[in-house]
Amino acid sequence: MAKSILLINGPNLNLLGTREPSIYGTTTLPDVIDSATAQCDRLSIKFTHIQSNHEGVLVDRIHEARGHVDAIVINPGALTHTSVALRDALVGVDIPFVEVHISNIHKREAFRHHSYLSDKAEAVICGLGVFGYEAAIDWVAKYVEVKGNARL
Ligand SMILES: O=C(O)[C@@H]1C=C(O)[C@@H](O)[C@H](O)C1
């Protein structure tokens, strides 16, 4: 069972709750983090989180996670559809990850239908709103085994 999870949120997710609420809902990112923190506490999982609007900052954080994190839950935001660098970082550190999208990207503009990450993800959750984060953490807790001595 995973003992440490890193949650990553990409560009514009800092606006969650006020940004296009008809698509992304009214729950704020701090509320998402608070819920995920409590969920991980209940599951005895060490939890950390980063949100950044900068691709290189997220790449650096993924590199830093190697050897310290058992699994990553990532909503890459728009980098989903553009970032080979993010894909390469996730594959390069060999940490299992679950891809989360608040909206159902397959019901939206065509340019959102492709992800540079999905074929490397353990699972992809989209369209469940912010519940997708909770579902991803629950799944990771149940099905992702600790690799070596990975700890935060
Ligand atoms: O649904 C989401 O969480 C994703 C969030 C974004 O910011 C968009 O750029 C993606 O296309 C969809």
Side-chain angles (χ1 to χ4, degrees):
M1 170 174 163
K3 290 296 183 191
S4 54
I5 293 177
L6 169 62
L7 173 61
I8 298 174
N9 278 287
N12 300 301
L13 286 158
N14 53 302
L15 299 180
L16 198 57
T18 59
R19 168 197 177 201
E20 299 181 271
S22 62
I23 296 173
Y24 299 106
T26 56
T27 303
T28 67
L29 186 60
D31 290 338
V32 168
I33 301 312
D34 287 348
S35 296
T37 301
Q39 181 183 8
C40 286
D41 284 349
R42 289 193 300 273
L43 294 166
S44 301
I45 292 176
K46 291 182 181 177
F47 175 75
T48 56
H49 171 258
I50 182 172
Q51 185 281 326
S52 179
N53 298 320
H54 307 283
E55 184 178 31
V57 169
L58 297 178
V59 167
D60 288 345
R61 184 64 185 86
I62 290 168
H63 293 175
E64 291 163 13
R66 180 155 58 175
H68 302 281
V69 169
D70 295 320
I72 291 172
V73 174
I74 182 168
N75 182 343
L79 293 176
T80 305
H81 318 297
T82 63
S83 182
V84 175
L86 211 48
R87 174 195 176 94
D88 287 348
L90 288 163
V91 172
V93 299
D94 192 24
I95 297 173
F97 70 93
V98 175
E99 180 181 343
V100 174
H101 305 288
I102 294 164
S103 65
N104 181 349
I105 57 176
H106 302 291
K107 287 178 73 171
R108 302 183 65 192
E109 304 95 327
F111 66 81
R112 299 186 197 271
H113 296 176
H114 175 261
S115 166
Y116 278 98
L117 308 183
S118 294
D119 63 305
K120 297 297 184 183
E122 299 301 310
V124 180
I125 300 172
C126 68
L128 297 185
V130 295
F131 177 72
Y133 294 110
E134 180 179 345
I137 289 170
D138 257 359
W139 185 87
V140 164
K142 288 176 182 160
Y143 298 106
V144 173
E145 293 304 318
V146 175
K147 285 177 69 173
N149 297 313
R151 288 293 177 270
L152 286 180

